[in-house]
Structures are given as C-alpha cells and as structure tokens.
Amino acid sequence: MKTDVLTGLVRPEPGKSRHAGFKKLREQFPVLSREVYGKKLVYLDNAATTQKPVAVIEKVSEYYRNGNANIHRGVHFLSQEATEAYEEARTEAQHFVNAAETKEIIFTRGVTESINLVAQAFGRMAIGRDDEIILSRMEHHSNIVPWQILCEQVGARIRVLPIDDRGELLLEELPKMINSRTRIVSIVHVSNALGTVNNVREIIDVAHRHGVPVLLDAAQSAPHIPIDVQDLDVDFLVLSGHKVYAPTGIGILYGKERLLSKMPPYQGGGEMIGSVTFEKTTYNKIPFKYEAGTPNISGGIGLGAALEFVQDIGLEEIARYETDLLGYAHQILANIPGIRIIGTAEKKAGAVSFMLEDFHPHDVGTILDQEGIAVRTGHHCTQPIMDYFGIPATVRASFSFYNTYEEVDALAEGLHVARSVLSLGSRHHG
C-alpha cells in the first residue's frame, strides 16, 4: 500500500490491487497513450464520451474495408453479410439490457433521438390537453426539451420532482404528484452532472401502482451499472452508444412490445413501410417501423462489438472498480483547499462535479488542459441543476474502468497548480 503525498490517504500500490487487471485493459485504448502539451494524457471526460477499444475500431474498419453494403433490402452477398452483422448487434443489445425479444430493441442516433421518438410517438397516442408528464430537477436537457415541445403541441404540462442539497431526488413527493392526468414519468438513472444514482426501482413501482409508464434515461448508467429491463419492469429505456465505448451516432431505444406495437411511426420513408400507394401506406413490424431510412450500419456493428467487449469484462466488476476509484477521487478532492463538491448523494457513479473557490470552472478547466488533463466544464446540459445550486457551471471529472488511481492523483496535482495560478492572477488584478 502507498500513502498519497497530497492527502495522506491510502491507495493500492500500482499492480497490487485486486483491480490490477483493469490497468492491462488500458492497452486496448490507443488514444490513452497520447501526450498533449508534452504531458501524458489524463482523460477524465468519460461522461461526455468514452474512448474506443481496438475491438470496436477494427470492427468498424473491417466493415468499410471488406463488407460495405446497404442492409435488409439486398439479395447479394455483401448485403446479406452486412445485414447479419447489424442484426447480430441488435441481439447483443437485447442481451445487454435483457430485453425479452430483439424486436423490442430499436436503433436510433442516441438518447436524444430516442426520447424525441417516445415523446412524439407515444405522446401522439397517449398524451393530450391538460395531461401531465413528470420529470425531475436533475434531467439532462435531452429529457426536458422533447417533452416541452410535445406540451406545446398538445396542451399538456410538465411537473418536476424536486431534489435536495445533496443532489438526491425527494422520492416521497412522487406519490403526491401522480394523479389521474399523469401519462408518463421520464427519469434519469444516473445524473450526468451530479453522479447521483437514483432509486429507479422505487420510482417504477410507484408509477406502476398508478398505471403510469416509465421511461428511464440510462445514458450515464449503462457504462457503469448492470441493467435488466425485465427485472426493473421499465416501459422504455434509452442509451447512447458513444458513452459505452461504441461509435457516435448510434443508440438504443428499448420499449415493451405492447407499447411499441400500438404507437404510431415517428418518421416516414424506406424500411419502415409494409406497402405504399398514394391512397394508403401500411407500416412494417417493429422494430423496423421506427427505423426509417438507411441506418448507421457501421455504428450499429461497432455498438455490438462495444457491448460484447463490456460484457466480457463484466459490468459487476466494472462497477466495483469504478466505485472504489470514485470514492478515492471524492476523498482526495475534498482535501484540496477551496473545493466545493456539487452532489454528495449517498450512492453515486461515474462522475464528481466541483467548484474551486470562486474561480470560473472554464478557467480551471483550461489550466488542467495545459497539464494534460481532460475534464468537462460548463452546465453539462443541466441548467436547472445549476440554477438550484446557484452556480453558473462546474468542473466535472468523470471516470471509466481504464482510469487509474495515479490519474486521480494527477487531477489533484493539476488543481493545486490551477489554484496557485488563478490565485496569483486574482491578486494581480486586485
């Protein structure tokens, strides 16, 4: 064991912890060997997007190099081969979330498109004037704006489940908010800005007791926490591939078959049709009813490779390691003078957000960048959270299983540099 020089905290000696195998996995991510500004890259912006392993890079490259063809409609060999690879990825996604059937997995561009699809398709079927949609204070803009658009279209309204100063949902308020006009609860599993892991099982149980379906935003939970849609009994679940080591522009909408079959189409065009005449069009079966046009074939194939990669490691093992790493980061950051951690929920995953004294987060992030440390600064597309805490933005460090204790130390050292530089600058301007 080794005592950290900055805090006196004990962390595992490199190579000797029970998580030493994760260090070996870093070699599968080529970008992590880069240097920036002459310093070894420390990539702590995983909540924005994760880096891609060789297995995913090679799978996408192989498709374009050896098998590029459109899918589903071709009788020739390349088309059949590409179709098989794409549909194998759908099966991989089914296993990843434990959906009952592959037809409950719809490929989209990501969480944003998935929520827009549900808001428009489910919304046209089930939500009307004076109906209500329940969201929470900690939602990403992608789980706010689509519902606001729907409300403007049909005359519905949004009700907001509040949070407390720790960044935890006030779940005791949920039963009081649900009434005969409630049509859906759309809620985040893990907050991208706070790292809070919400008790979604309780939320789903409460909603279902009132006959209300639930959409779960799993963008931030899918890389960190095992998900079982059948065990949760959730009605819709959305996730983005690029946050779980897959390419950008590909994502998943899971929906219960009974709901997807009833909902009207979201977009019209090729693939989603059964037959077309100028008098009438009939629609394809699910999932194809919601997959109009040529899809992101390479992205889907890459997503399949990424989900297989993650499942080979094991999400339970990933969760254990990342929980330890995040706990260490919380301790070491809390010992830096002037740090205010935003979001101190009892159960967290993936990220820690903070302020450093009164310095603007963008200034802190810029200095960290010069030290080779990539973090995210801003409101993280969660302006209602920033408004609640009365701040303009935060610095957010977000973690993956390929991050190390040494990188947490590097972040702490970088923050000491930032504090020194910015304090000197403020004195000169004072």
Side-chain angles (χ1 to χ4, degrees):
M1 303 294 283
K2 181 177 178 181
T3 301
D4 184 80
V5 295
L6 291 174
T7 66
L9 296 171
V10 176
R11 64 175 171 82
E13 189 75 38
K16 294 185 179 178
S17 84
R18 65 186 178 90
H19 303 304
F22 284 101
K23 280 198 148 190
K24 190 71 175 172
L25 283 171
R26 283 178 62 89
E27 299 172 8
Q28 296 295 312
F29 295 83
V31 73
L32 298 180
S33 63
R34 280 199 65 179
E35 289 190 352
V36 293
Y37 304 114
K39 296 180 173 66
K40 184 178 179 182
L41 172 66
V42 175
Y43 185 78
L44 300 176
D45 194 21
N46 295 285
T49 197
T50 51
Q51 297 302 333
K52 316 309 171 197
V54 170
V56 171
I57 296 167
E58 289 183 346
K59 196 76 172 179
V60 173
S61 176
E62 179 188 357
Y63 165 74
Y64 282 121
R65 192 184 303 275
N66 297 317
N68 178 44
N70 213 327
I71 59 172
H72 292 146
R73 295 182 284 277
V75 297
H76 61 81
F77 181 87
L78 289 185
S79 178
Q80 294 291 312
E81 186 179 63
T83 299
E84 183 178 352
Y86 190 75
E87 291 304 320
E88 284 176 356
R90 196 188 305 274
T91 301
E92 199 69 49
Q94 175 201 356
H95 294 158
F96 188 76
V97 300
N98 194 33
E101 302 179 80
T102 55
K103 64 183 178 182
E104 294 180 319
I105 300 294
I106 296 163
F107 284 136
T108 66
R109 288 182 297 149
V111 160
T112 298
E113 184 176 45
S114 295
I115 296 175
N116 274 277
L117 191 163
V118 175
Q120 288 299 309
F122 176 82
R124 296 207 311 275
M125 177 184 78
I127 301 175
R129 181 167 297 281
D130 296 327
D131 286 339
E132 296 182 353
I133 299 156
I134 295 179
L135 310 177
S136 82
R137 167 71 73 165
M138 66 174 63
E139 300 309 315
H140 189 281
H141 296 168
S142 294
N143 199 26
I144 299 174
V145 180
W147 300 110
Q148 288 177 328
I149 292 171
L150 176 67
C151 288
E152 291 170 358
Q153 292 169 336
V154 303
R157 57 178 171 266
I158 290 170
R159 301 191 68 187
V160 181
L161 184 64
I163 62 175
D164 62 20
D165 290 346
R166 297 188 66 186
E168 294 181 328
L169 292 177
L170 298 178
L171 291 184
E172 64 272 17
E173 297 298 316
L174 182 59
K176 307 172 192 174
M177 295 173 63
I178 297 178
N179 58 50
S180 62
R181 306 300 311 197
T182 307
R183 295 293 176 258
I184 193 168
V185 175
S186 192
I187 211 86
V188 68
H189 193 177
V190 173
S191 167
N192 72 305
L194 303 174
T196 303
V197 180
N198 289 319
N199 187 349
V200 294
R201 188 178 297 277
E202 181 179 344
I203 293 168
I204 294 165
D205 288 348
V206 170
H208 283 181
R209 284 201 297 270
H210 293 82
V212 176
V214 176
L215 182 150
L216 188 61
D217 175 358
Q220 298 297 332
S221 57
H224 307 294
I225 298 171
I227 292 172
D228 186 330
V229 294
Q230 293 188 76
D231 180 55
L232 288 171
D233 195 28
V234 71
D235 302 279
F236 300 103
L237 180 136
V238 298
L239 65 87
S240 289
H242 73 98
K243 296 183 188 297
V244 66
Y245 312 101
T248 56
I250 187 72
I252 294 168
L253 164 62
Y254 158 81
K256 288 180 176 176
E257 187 272 340
R258 63 176 178 81
L259 290 170
L260 295 177
S261 295
K262 292 178 186 175
M263 287 158 43
Y266 172 56
Q267 294 177 323
E271 191 60 36
M272 55 75 67
I273 60 97
S275 64
V276 176
T277 68
F278 281 109
E279 289 71 38
K280 182 177 176 59
T281 292
T282 61
Y283 304 125
N284 206 343
K285 61 186 178 181
I286 60 170
F288 308 113
K289 182 171 74 170
Y290 297 105
E291 295 182 355
T294 297
N296 182 356
I297 301 169
S298 64
I301 292 170
L303 174 62
L307 298 182
E308 182 179 8
F309 181 83
V310 169
Q311 291 178 103
D312 284 346
I313 299 169
L315 270 163
E316 293 85 359
E317 280 298 308
I318 289 172
R320 277 192 286 270
Y321 174 60
E322 291 179 346
T323 297
D324 288 352
L325 191 67
L326 183 62
Y328 179 68
H330 261 268
Q331 292 179 69
I332 197 170
L333 293 180
N335 280 273
I336 296 174
I339 281 278
R340 176 192 172 195
I341 293 177
I342 307 297
T344 55
E346 182 178 348
K347 191 171 183 183
K348 293 185 61 171
V352 55
S353 288
F354 55 90
M355 303 283 290
L356 181 61
E357 297 190 3
D358 293 327
F359 307 130
H360 197 284
H362 294 324
D363 295 333
V364 177
T366 299
I367 294 173
L368 289 176
D369 178 52
Q370 294 296 317
E371 296 296 310
I373 302 165
V375 295
R376 181 70 40 162
T377 65
H379 54 64
H380 316 300
C381 292
T382 57
Q383 286 179 299
I385 288 179
M386 302 299 134
D387 292 343
Y388 176 84
F389 285 102
I391 54 178
T394 69
V395 181
R396 184 187 69 194
S398 51
F399 301 95
S400 162
F401 60 77
Y402 49 58
N403 291 124
T404 66
Y405 289 91
E406 292 86 353
E407 289 181 317
V408 175
D409 295 341
L411 172 63
E413 291 162 6
L415 288 170
H416 280 284
V417 172
R419 186 169 178 270
S420 176
V421 171
L422 293 171
S423 295
L424 183 63
S426 64
R427 284 199 299 272
H428 284 169
H429 286 90

